[in-house]
């Protein structure tokens, strides 16, 4: 508790509090734009933190993180355009509420539910992370290798019904991770000295998210203006509060555990929350027509999962969502490696970040409820102007990494890859996770084999590693059985929602 209070003292300095406010405002302003999710928001705003001290930069990113999450729910409700895959379920009922003249109530329950879930999730994060770090620090290279393999497998296999597309995306990410001469031998550098240190992950993230998205939108640009539903001042009646508070708590109970797993993500808990609320509701006739429970529960699950993803990110160094992957890049850009040693090597930084999550949550509610009509007006920015600005900032961000023109050419090539992935329905998340974890996976494999003098059996010589492999096998068997049982049947509701979530891996246009 004393460490957390020290973190609050650090985060509440005027300078860091200013960074938190800027982060929340920027995150919401960019995240609320049509077709832009939290991952793309964080990727685009990453370069603005390069000249900020590490503590201030991470505090700003906490604000951007939560602001981007809220912005994604706004576009889901007002435009039926989810900013990320986990916002798909919110759009099911939220947009129906907006079309029925209850946009203000939908935005209010989303914002307050996000605050409740984010606060509870932050408390659980503070309680669990030190204990998990103490356990993980005892693990050897074989266990680390198994856990990373498990993260790659589950992130690739769980989202969407097409496992083949997920593994193709993962293969592309691992291939990009091989570029460079980190092992002492040049691999796939094509004689270019700029590739000797590998492809910078920031360039990959910005290209896949921003350039690929801009090219995709330009190829499918709507000529008619977006139909934007007017928003009044968000408020909730006594009846709305009565119907929302239980879904907020149930959604939080679903979201945090799923986010905290190395196989985390918010797609499954948001859908489970939606199904649960539809089963428990006293107003079943409203589901499919704009039930407030269908917004409150999934939004709480989404934000609780967002807090949960920070557990494997900070305690193990494993990003399990696209947004967490970009946040890992932000942390690593300061020479800081998340993992079990982080709380010992950078205690002030870690506790300031944890304290800033609470601050960002409060700022999100205080700033964004009154400003909801203002954010809605940003949706009127014409698409050509919007994506021209995205291309400019994406190019500026990629160039600022190494100040090399070669990175701009690389940005375009990878942007074309991102466009092709959207064209053929390949999810983006496995590629990003593969690029980030690929080198670390190789490092742990090399370390384990070097210690055992090449004995492959060392990879399953630790109990944790054996347990992880058993879990992977069990998941594979369950998925195979479910696929066999559903063969020839019409897709059920779970398949339809997960397929739409996979197509909305970054955003749905």
């Amino acid at each position: 508790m004393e460490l957390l209070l020290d973190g609050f003292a650090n985060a509440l300095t005027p300078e860091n509090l200013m960074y938190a406010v800027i982060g929340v405002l920027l995150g919401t302003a960019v995240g609320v734009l049509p077709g832009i999710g939290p991952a793309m928001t964080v990727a685009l705003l990453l370069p603005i933190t390069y000249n900020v001290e590490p503590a201030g930069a991470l505090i700003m990113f906490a604000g951007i993180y939560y602001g981007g999450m809220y912005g994604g729910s706004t576009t889901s409700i007002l435009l039926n355009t989810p900013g990320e895959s986990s916002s798909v379920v919110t759009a099911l009922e939220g947009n129906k509420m907006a079309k029925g003249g209850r946009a203000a109530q939908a935005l209010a329950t989303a914002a307050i539910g996000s605050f409740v879930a984010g606060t509870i999730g932050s408390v659980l994060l503070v309680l669990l992370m030190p204990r998990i770090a103490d356990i993980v620090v005892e693990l050897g290279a074989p266990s680390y290798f198994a856990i990373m393999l498990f993260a790659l497998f589950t992130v690739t296999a769980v989202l969407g019904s097409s496992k083949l597309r997920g593994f193709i995306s993962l293969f592309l990410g691992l291939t990009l991770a091989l570029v460079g001469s980190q092992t002492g031998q040049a691999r796939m550098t094509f004689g270019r000295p700029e590739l000797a240190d590998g492809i910078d992950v920031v360039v990959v993230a910005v290209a896949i998210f921003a350039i690929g998205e801009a090219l995709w939108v330009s190829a499918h640009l709507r000529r008619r203006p977006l139909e934007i539903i007017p928003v009044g001042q968000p408020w909730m009646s006594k009846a709305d509060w009565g119907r929302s508070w239980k879904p907020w708590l149930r959604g939080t109970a679903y979201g945090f555990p799923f986010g905290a797993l190395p196989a985390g993500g918010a797609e499954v808990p948001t859908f489970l929350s939606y199904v649960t609320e539809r089963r428990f509701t006293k107003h079943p006739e409203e589901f499919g027509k704009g039930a407030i429970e269908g917004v409150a529960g999934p939004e709480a699950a989404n934000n609780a999962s967002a807090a949960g993803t920070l557990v494997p990110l900070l305690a193990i160094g494993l990003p399990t969502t696209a947004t967490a992957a970009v946040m890992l890049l932000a942390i690593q850009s300061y020479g800081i490696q998340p993992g079990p040693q982080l709380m010992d090597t950078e205690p002030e930084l870690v506790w300031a970040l944890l304290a800033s999550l609470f601050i960002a949550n409060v700022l999100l509610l205080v700033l964004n409820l009154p400003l909801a009509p203002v954010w809605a007006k940003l949706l009127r920015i014409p698409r050509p102007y919007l994506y021209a600005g995205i291309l400019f900032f994406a190019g500026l961000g990629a160039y600022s990494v190494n100040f090399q023109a070669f990175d701009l050419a690389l940005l375009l090539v990878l942007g074309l890859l991102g466009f092709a992935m959207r064209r053929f329905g390949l999810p983006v998340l496995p590629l990003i996770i593969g690029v980030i974890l690929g080198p670390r996976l190789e490092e742990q494999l090399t370390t384990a084999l070097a210690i055992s003098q090449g004995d492959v059996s060392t990879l399953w010589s630790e109990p944790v590693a054996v347990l992880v492999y058993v879990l992977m096998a069990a998941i594979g068997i369950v998925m195979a059985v479910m696929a066999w049982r559903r063969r020839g049947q019409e897709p059920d509701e779970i398949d339809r929602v997960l397929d739409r979530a996979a197509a909305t891996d970054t955003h749905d246009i």
Side-chain angles (χ1 to χ4, degrees):
M1 181 60 69
E2 183 179 347
L3 291 173
L4 182 59
L5 293 177
D6 291 340
F8 273 107
N10 190 4
L12 287 173
T13 62
E15 182 179 7
N16 286 338
L17 191 58
M18 178 190 69
Y19 287 137
V21 172
I22 292 173
V24 168
L25 293 176
L26 283 178
T28 307
V30 176
V32 80
L33 296 174
I36 299 179
M40 187 172 174
T41 301
V42 176
L44 283 173
L45 297 177
L46 179 60
I48 70 173
T49 64
Y50 285 164
N51 295 321
V52 180
E53 291 296 318
L58 295 183
I59 288 170
M60 183 185 294
F61 262 95
I64 292 172
Y65 189 30
Y66 280 122
M69 296 289 290
Y70 177 78
S73 66
T74 301
T75 55
S76 296
I77 292 169
L78 298 183
L79 293 178
N80 198 27
T81 304
E84 59 172 348
S85 55
S86 57
S87 296
V88 169
V89 180
T90 300
L92 296 179
E93 299 296 331
N95 189 248
K96 295 288 196 308
M97 285 185 67
K99 289 181 177 178
R102 286 171 53 80
Q105 289 80 358
L107 290 174
T109 194
I112 299 171
S114 299
F115 170 76
V116 171
T119 301
I120 296 175
S122 298
V123 171
L124 294 174
L125 174 63
V126 168
L127 295 176
L128 292 178
M129 203 190 85
R131 291 165 177 76
I132 293 176
D134 290 340
I135 296 173
V136 173
V137 76
E138 303 294 333
L139 301 179
S143 296
Y144 270 114
F145 176 80
I147 292 172
M148 290 182 188
L149 203 62
F150 179 72
L152 290 175
F153 173 76
T154 50
V155 165
T156 302
V158 169
L159 181 57
S161 60
S162 177
K163 314 309 174 194
L164 177 61
R165 291 177 180 175
F167 281 104
I168 290 174
S169 177
L170 176 63
F171 172 78
L172 291 173
L174 293 175
T175 301
L176 292 175
L178 289 174
V179 176
S181 55
Q182 295 89 337
T183 59
Q185 183 178 0
R187 297 182 303 193
M188 302 172 62
T189 60
F190 306 102
R192 300 290 308 193
E194 296 92 342
L195 294 175
D197 293 329
I199 302 176
D200 195 286
V201 188
V202 174
V203 176
V204 177
V206 172
I208 297 298
F209 288 128
I211 305 299
E213 180 66 23
L215 293 175
W216 178 254
V217 170
S218 65
H220 301 81
L221 191 63
R222 295 171 176 168
R223 296 301 176 186
R224 60 183 177 83
L226 291 172
E227 298 178 2
I228 301 169
I229 299 170
V231 180
Q233 195 63 45
W235 61 278
M236 294 175 63
S237 65
K238 184 178 180 180
D240 291 332
W241 279 91
R243 292 176 58 178
S244 295
W245 72 270
K246 288 182 180 179
W248 291 336
L249 297 179
R250 285 192 288 258
T252 303
Y254 277 126
F256 187 85
F258 274 92
L261 292 172
E267 293 79 18
V268 174
T270 52
F271 180 77
L272 290 177
S273 174
Y274 180 77
V275 172
T276 300
E277 298 313 321
R278 189 172 61 180
R279 182 173 300 172
F280 287 163
T281 184
K282 297 179 181 178
H283 307 274
E285 72 284 354
E286 292 187 19
F287 270 80
K289 301 178 182 178
I292 194 169
E293 297 93 335
V295 178
E299 268 304 297
N302 188 12
N303 281 268
S305 177
T309 57
L310 296 178
V311 175
L313 176 66
L314 296 176
I316 311 177
L318 286 179
T320 55
T321 66
T323 311
V326 182
M327 288 190 70
L328 178 62
L329 302 181
I331 297 173
Q332 290 177 331
S333 67
Y334 290 95
I336 301 168
Q337 180 58 56
Q341 302 287 352
L342 181 62
M343 301 199 75
D344 295 327
T345 57
E346 300 284 350
E348 293 183 4
L349 187 65
V350 172
W351 287 104
L353 173 61
L354 295 178
S356 70
L357 296 177
F358 292 94
I359 296 170
N361 236 344
V362 174
L363 291 174
L364 184 73
L365 190 66
V366 172
L367 294 177
N368 284 334
L369 275 180
L371 292 177
V374 177
W375 302 135
K377 291 180 180 179
L378 289 177
L379 298 174
R380 301 185 183 277
I381 296 177
R383 292 290 181 92
Y385 300 153
L386 171 62
Y387 283 92
I390 288 175
L391 287 174
F392 172 77
F393 284 109
L396 184 64
Y399 182 75
S400 63
V401 173
N402 298 310
F403 296 100
Q404 294 179 350
F406 178 80
D407 284 341
L408 294 178
L410 199 59
L411 186 74
L412 178 58
V413 172
L414 293 175
L416 291 173
L417 173 62
F419 172 80
M421 292 179 68
R422 285 162 175 77
R423 168 63 181 82
F424 294 104
L426 299 180
V428 174
L429 177 58
L431 182 145
I432 296 296
I433 301 298
V435 171
I436 292 175
L437 291 187
R440 300 182 60 195
L441 192 72
E442 183 180 21
E443 178 186 354
Q444 296 299 333
L445 176 62
T446 304
T447 301
L449 294 178
I451 293 174
S452 66
Q453 298 181 343
D455 184 4
V456 179
S457 64
T458 190
L459 297 179
W460 51 85
S461 61
E462 297 182 359
V464 173
V466 173
L467 177 62
V468 170
Y469 292 133
V470 170
L471 283 174
M472 289 176 62
I475 292 173
I477 292 171
V478 170
M479 291 173 58
V481 171
M482 291 176 64
W484 179 78
R485 291 180 62 182
R486 291 177 182 173
R487 186 169 50 185
Q489 299 179 1
E490 288 294 323
D492 61 14
E493 190 168 4
I494 294 178
D495 287 330
R496 288 193 294 270
V497 171
L498 289 181
D499 282 342
R500 190 180 174 196
T504 322
D505 197 284
T506 50
H507 5 274
D508 182 21
I509 301 301

